[in-house]
């Protein structure tokens, strides 16, 4: 079984480009060029140099001693929270902005839910001096005021998506409509491993720096270049794709994906796509998505805005169906408790998305000699309000 | 012979009207169809509502949301249309996004269409390449036409390819935009219409997106075999009754 994308743009049954003809020239231009450009010497030189000097890579692979002791296993944290802007999202936006420049685009659009990808996009646009428009659900704009302010301060225009449920999926629809209306000068920076081919593969490649570094760092620390388990939270799935990437075809590495169960899988307020989703089309990709029997896409829920996407990247849908990855889902309450545990045991306040991944330690048993790598995908500053309200701090 | 082909044989310039099924009210589907046929409209496109219509502008999005809130579903629409061919004789096309069709079951969907007397489908997010690989055999089995879109950005080579695999008509999107966005056509559109006309395609072309009145209709049909009106008709329905539909059609031609 292959877990990487095939030549038709599919991961097993999932993926492809189910797009209206209006988007074909743009998506086709990307499809034809993304590998050639991103593997070229000049691109790699600039990309690596920005990752090092601007983003702050390589990020540390930190041995979490107290946590390891408590769970009697070897736990490493891949510290993506230490990236500039506070999460892994910037790895992708750096890659895509360089790609957009190579293609001669002078206008950038993006969608954002919690605002992390919007901030990462606004950041690289400021860095390059390129016009940036970020679509954000009208409801999310109200809920995420600090990130809206950050984007504005970075010079981006934030446009409210007023359609549908006024959240991430609608912001994505609006960004796609903008791209239809501006087919020549604009590049759309999608923030996760979702959307039409080649986006899932392109974003996964830019995020794969996470597992590439992990291999080198593990070799130094443990004298082998792979762990026994890789664990990450999955909304759309970009941080997970980055951590899994170089281990996908290595059967010695067990893959664990943690989704947000929200108020519980059967509560009607959940974002556990693998458990609740059915095969369908969302944002140009065939994947698993939460929908009504009539095929209308439903609104997910999680306390963590970065995980409440009604679909999942096609790579992850394939990892789930082929049983290559083990999927578990964690309710709000446990994730919040892990936010506190990580803060007080390791001195790192995690993003609530990231906290979800660690609940795997309560669900699964690991043995003392096993090596586990968690993607510590983001820091918790953006979630302080939610933590304050939840724990009455 | 498919009704779409018959209609193109009979008439030079076609007027086709799009509306969202279940909007303004759930039970409006049949009365709207009847009024359109009585007004002399040549063809209709019945929109299957979808929660995330990403190629549509605000007017069709809102009509789609309202239709869903009214309780419209694929199943319900097929029920409403069960005996539609007793009274409606013009070609009928279903237009909708691919996900609801997938969930209904693609073959079951085709069977239903054939049983009712639907002549063709327009599914904007089912690209020609995937259709050709996976679904054409099925559509052919039920004698359903599937119409494809072209835009001002579509290359000549791709237009030729689309023409070679098309039946019924080619849906010529007037400009780089979602539905309903433009209020008039400029030189860019006219150049594009002329360029496509000069290609002498085997498949007739209907122009859609941005046609709202007699002026844009006349410009659109000058180089094509007809035009499609959607958003402007939906806006009319929001402010007027179904009995007023003939007046709307009279303002167009």
């Amino acid at each position: 079984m292959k877990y990487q994308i095939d030549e038709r743009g599919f991961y097993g049954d999932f993926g492809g480009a189910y797009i209206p003809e209006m988007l074909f020239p743009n998506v086709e231009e990307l499809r034809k060029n993304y590998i050639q450009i991103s593997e070229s010497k000049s691109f790699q030189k600039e990309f690596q140099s920005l990752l090092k000097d601007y983003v702050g890579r390589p990020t540390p692979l930190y041995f979490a001693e107290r946590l390891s002791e408590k769970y009697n296993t070897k736990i490493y944290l891949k510290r993506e929270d230490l990236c500039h802007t506070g999460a892994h999202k910037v790895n992708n936006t750096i890659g895509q902005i360089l790609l957009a420049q190579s293609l001669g685009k002078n206008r950038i659009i993006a969608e954002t839910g919690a605002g992390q990808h919007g901030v990462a996009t606004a950041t690289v646009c400021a860095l390059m001096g390129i016009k940036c428009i970020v679509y954000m659900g009208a409801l999310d704009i109200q809920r995420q005021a600090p990130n809206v302010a950050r984007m504005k301060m970075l010079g981006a225009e934030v446009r409210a998506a007023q359609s549908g449920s006024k959240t991430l999926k609608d912001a994505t629809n609006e960004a796609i409509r903008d791209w239809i209306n501006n087919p020549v000068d604009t590049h759309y920076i999608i923030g996760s491993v979702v959307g039409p081919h080649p986006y899932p593969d392109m974003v996964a490649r830019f995020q794969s720096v996470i597992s590439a570094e992990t291999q080198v760092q593990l070799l130094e620390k443990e004298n082998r270049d792979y762990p026994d388990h890789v664990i990450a939270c999955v909304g759309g799935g970009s941080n997970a794709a980055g951590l899994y990437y170089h281990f996908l075809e290595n059967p010695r590495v067990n893959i664990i994906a943690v989704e947000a169960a929200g108020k519980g899988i059967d509560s009607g307020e959940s974002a556990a796509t693998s458990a609740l989703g059915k095969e369908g089309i969302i944002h140009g990709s065939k994947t698993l998505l939460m929908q009504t029997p009539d095929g209308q896409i439903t609104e997910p829920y999680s306390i963590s805005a970065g995980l409440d996407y009604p679909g999942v990247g096609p790579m992850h849908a394939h990892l789930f169906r082929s049983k290559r990855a083990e999927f578990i889902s964690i309710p709000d309450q446990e994730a919040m408790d892990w936010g506190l545990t990580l803060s007080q045991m390791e001195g790192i306040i995690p993003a609530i998305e990231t906290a979800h991944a660690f609940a795997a330690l309560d669900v699964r048993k690991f043995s003392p000699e096993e090596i586990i790598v968690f993607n510590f995908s983001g820091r918790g500053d953006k979630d302080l309000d939610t933590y304050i309200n939840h724990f009455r701090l | 012979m498919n009704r779409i082909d018959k209609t193109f044989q009979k008439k030079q310039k076609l007027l086709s009207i799009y509306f969202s099924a279940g909007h303004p009210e759930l039970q409006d589907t049949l009365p709207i169809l009847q009024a359109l046929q009585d007004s002399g409209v040549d063809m209709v496109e019945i929109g299957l509502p979808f929660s995330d219509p990403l190629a549509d502008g605000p007017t069709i999005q809102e009509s789609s949301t309202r239709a869903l809130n009214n309780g419209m579903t694929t199943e319900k629409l097929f029920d409403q249309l069960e005996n539609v061919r007793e009274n409606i004789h013009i070609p009928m096309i279903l237009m909708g996004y691919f996900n609801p069709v997938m969930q209904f079951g693609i073959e079951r969907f085709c069977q239903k269409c054939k049983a009712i007397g639907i002549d063709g489908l327009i599914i904007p997010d089912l690209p020609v390449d995937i259709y050709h690989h996976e679904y054409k055999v099925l559509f052919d089995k039920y004698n359903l036409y599937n119409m494809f879109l072209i835009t001002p950005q579509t290359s000549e080579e791709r237009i030729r390819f689309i023409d070679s695999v098309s039946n019924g008509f080619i849906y010529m999107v007037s400009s780089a935009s979602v539905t309903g966005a433009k209020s008039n056509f400029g030189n860019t559109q006219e150049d594009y219409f002329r360029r496509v006309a000069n290609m002498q395609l085997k498949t007739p072309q209907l122009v859609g997106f941005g046609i709202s009145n007699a002026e844009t209709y006349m410009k659109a049909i000058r180089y094509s075999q007809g035009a499609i009106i959607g958003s402007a008709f939906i806006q009319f329905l929001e402010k007027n009754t179904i009995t007023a539909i003939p007046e709307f059609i009279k303002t167009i031609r």
Side-chain angles (χ1 to χ4, degrees):
Chain A
M1 177 86 64
K2 280 254 307 166
Y3 301 102
Q4 289 290 2
I5 200 142
D6 67 22
E7 56 292 334
R8 289 166 53 247
F10 281 81
Y11 298 91
D13 300 331
F14 302 109
Y18 293 80
I19 48 167
E21 188 63 29
M22 292 81 99
L23 287 176
F24 180 81
N26 274 330
V27 172
E28 182 69 1
E29 182 184 34
L30 268 185
R31 189 187 68 79
K32 279 188 172 154
N33 293 297
Y34 80 109
I35 290 180
Q36 193 199 340
I37 292 175
S38 65
E39 286 185 352
S40 72
K41 260 201 178 128
S42 57
F43 180 99
Q44 275 301 322
K45 195 176 158 210
E46 211 177 348
F47 184 51
Q48 296 304 338
S49 140
L50 283 170
L51 288 183
K52 178 167 178 280
D53 297 328
Y54 187 72
V55 175
R57 304 204 71 94
T59 58
L61 184 70
Y62 165 71
F63 179 65
E65 202 172 327
R66 293 188 63 203
L67 209 56
S68 297
E69 199 177 318
K70 181 174 176 192
Y71 285 91
N72 195 23
T73 185
K74 283 179 163 175
I75 298 171
Y76 282 93
L77 312 182
K78 182 60 177 159
R79 295 289 309 275
E80 293 300 297
D81 60 313
L82 294 175
C83 289
H84 177 43
T85 71
H88 70 288
K89 291 285 184 192
V90 72
N91 302 326
N92 169 47
T93 59
I94 294 265
Q96 286 204 48
I97 197 83
L98 294 175
L99 191 69
Q101 284 183 316
S102 297
L103 293 171
K105 310 287 177 176
N106 55 29
R107 182 176 175 274
I108 296 293
I109 55 172
E111 85 295 336
T112 197
Q116 289 305 104
H117 172 59
V119 169
T121 304
T123 299
V124 297
C125 287
L127 179 70
M128 300 300 177
I130 296 181
K131 186 178 165 62
C132 178
I133 293 153
V134 179
Y135 287 90
M136 189 167 182
L139 263 183
D140 290 335
I141 287 181
Q142 286 173 14
R143 294 191 289 201
Q144 308 286 339
N147 272 342
V148 175
R150 281 185 189 105
M151 287 185 269
K152 286 183 179 166
M153 198 161 168
L154 290 160
E157 180 190 340
V158 180
R159 289 191 189 165
Q162 300 286 1
S163 57
S165 49
K166 302 180 184 171
T167 59
L168 176 58
K169 82 176 170 72
D170 310 287
T172 309
N173 291 337
E174 288 305 326
I176 291 173
R177 288 177 189 125
D178 181 306
W179 212 17
I180 290 174
N181 289 333
N182 297 282
V184 179
D185 64 343
T186 299
H187 174 70
Y188 176 19
I189 300 190
I190 294 184
S192 193
V193 286
V194 302
H197 177 64
Y199 276 101
D201 183 48
M202 180 169 73
V203 176
R205 281 167 184 260
F206 290 142
Q207 292 293 0
S208 71
V209 63
I210 299 171
S211 49
E213 286 175 6
T214 301
Q215 286 180 312
V216 175
Q217 292 165 322
L218 273 180
L219 195 59
E220 263 170 33
K221 291 173 197 287
E222 294 285 347
N223 217 13
R224 60 166 153 120
D225 67 355
Y226 64 91
D228 297 297
H229 305 275
V230 284
I231 306 180
C233 64
V234 174
S238 68
N239 92 79
L243 179 67
Y244 304 162
Y245 196 89
H246 291 285
F247 304 119
L248 285 170
E249 317 287 344
N250 183 346
R252 290 172 297 190
V253 181
N254 181 46
I255 296 175
I256 300 177
V258 182
E259 291 184 311
K263 295 184 179 166
I265 296 236
D266 302 319
S267 67
E269 292 184 77
S270 177
T273 307
S274 67
L276 298 169
K278 272 191 65 191
E279 188 173 322
I281 310 284
I282 182 170
H283 299 137
S285 179
K286 186 192 273 187
T287 186
L288 296 171
L289 62 129
M290 292 164 54
Q291 51 184 315
T292 67
D294 190 43
Q296 311 301 334
I297 300 173
T298 52
E299 194 53 26
Y301 165 82
S302 162
I303 194 166
S304 132
L307 299 181
D308 63 358
Y309 182 68
V312 64
M315 175 203 275
H316 300 299
H318 180 51
L319 293 177
F320 173 72
R321 181 168 284 179
S322 65
K323 299 194 165 64
R324 172 69 181 94
E326 190 180 329
F327 275 67
I328 54 184
S329 54
I330 298 298
D332 289 351
Q333 181 62 48
E334 286 175 39
M336 294 302 281
D337 290 345
W338 266 100
L340 212 54
T341 303
L342 288 164
S343 302
Q344 299 181 356
M345 283 192 73
E346 296 295 342
I348 312 170
I349 301 176
I352 301 173
E353 291 82 355
T354 308
H356 277 79
F358 287 84
L361 289 169
D362 302 319
V363 176
R364 279 280 265 98
K365 274 267 164 278
F366 301 97
S367 58
E369 68 284 357
E370 281 186 312
I371 299 169
I372 308 170
V373 175
F374 279 95
N375 195 348
F376 208 99
S377 54
R379 66 174 184 229
D381 306 40
K382 69 179 178 66
D383 295 317
L384 265 190
D385 273 351
T386 314
Y387 283 133
I388 290 168
N389 290 335
H390 189 84
F391 294 114
R392 306 192 187 284
L393 298 169
Chain B
M1 184 191 269
N2 190 301
R3 287 184 197 85
I4 300 172
D5 294 335
K6 249 187 258 174
T7 308
F8 277 109
Q9 278 185 359
K10 276 195 305 216
K11 283 190 90 162
Q12 291 290 316
K13 305 287 181 184
L14 269 55
L15 172 62
S16 181
I17 298 286
Y18 168 95
F19 68 98
S20 298
H23 169 272
E25 302 302 331
L26 182 62
Q27 300 299 339
D28 285 346
T29 315
L30 293 181
I32 290 173
L33 284 170
Q34 190 67 54
L36 288 171
Q37 177 173 276
D38 295 347
S39 311
V41 163
D42 303 300
M43 186 150 70
V44 286
E45 283 152 41
I46 305 168
L48 201 57
F50 183 46
S51 55
D52 294 73
L54 46 74
D56 285 301
T59 302
I60 293 181
Q61 286 171 41
E62 280 157 27
S63 68
S64 194
T65 304
R66 178 148 166 202
L68 291 172
N69 290 340
N70 287 342
M72 184 50 85
T73 63
T74 309
E75 200 89 50
K76 234 172 233 173
L77 178 61
F78 281 137
D79 286 349
Q80 290 181 348
L81 293 176
E82 196 176 354
N83 300 312
V84 68
R85 281 300 178 201
E86 289 172 7
N87 298 305
I88 304 296
H89 311 295
I90 55 177
M92 289 193 300
I93 291 159
L94 287 189
M95 183 163 182
Y97 290 82
F98 194 39
N99 195 52
V101 178
M102 267 180 83
Q103 302 315 316
F104 193 84
I106 296 164
E107 177 143 24
R108 188 170 156 240
F109 191 92
C110 292
Q111 276 169 349
K112 275 275 184 191
C113 285
K114 179 160 169 91
I116 285 166
I118 297 294
D119 304 289
L121 299 170
I122 302 172
I123 307 172
D125 60 343
L126 175 59
V128 58
D129 322 79
I130 294 177
Y131 169 78
H132 212 59
H133 259 104
E134 295 181 35
Y135 303 110
K136 188 180 184 306
V137 177
L138 205 57
F139 280 47
D140 286 350
K141 180 174 159 193
Y142 294 98
N143 193 26
L144 281 171
Y145 283 3
N146 188 39
M147 270 65 70
F148 298 107
L149 279 56
I150 62 171
T151 81
Q153 270 68 43
T154 311
S155 68
E156 175 163 347
E157 186 192 1
R158 188 162 168 89
I159 293 177
R160 295 256 177 238
F161 167 65
I162 288 173
D163 183 43
S164 74
V165 299
S166 280
N167 42 31
F169 60 88
I170 289 174
Y171 194 130
M172 226 171 119
V173 175
S174 66
S175 44
S177 75
V178 294
T179 52
K182 299 280 188 296
S183 57
N184 205 349
F185 292 143
N187 290 336
T188 332
Q189 272 86 35
E190 206 160 319
D191 290 348
Y192 156 62
F193 296 159
R194 200 181 300 124
R195 174 165 64 86
V196 175
N198 287 339
M199 288 177 71
Q200 306 279 323
L201 304 177
K202 75 167 176 57
T203 321
Q205 303 107 51
L206 294 186
V207 179
F209 287 36
I211 295 157
S212 56
N213 50 30
E215 191 191 346
T216 41
Y217 174 74
M218 289 310 290
K219 275 191 183 160
I221 64 168
R222 189 162 160 213
Y223 298 101
S224 71
Q225 283 70 49
I228 303 161
I229 298 180
S231 297
F233 178 67
I234 288 169
Q235 278 165 359
F236 177 85
L237 276 184
E238 278 163 8
K239 293 187 200 107
N240 299 276
T241 58
I242 293 172
T243 49
I245 286 177
E247 292 163 36
F248 176 83
I249 302 302
K250 264 181 231 151
T251 65
I252 305 296
R253 67 167 190 192

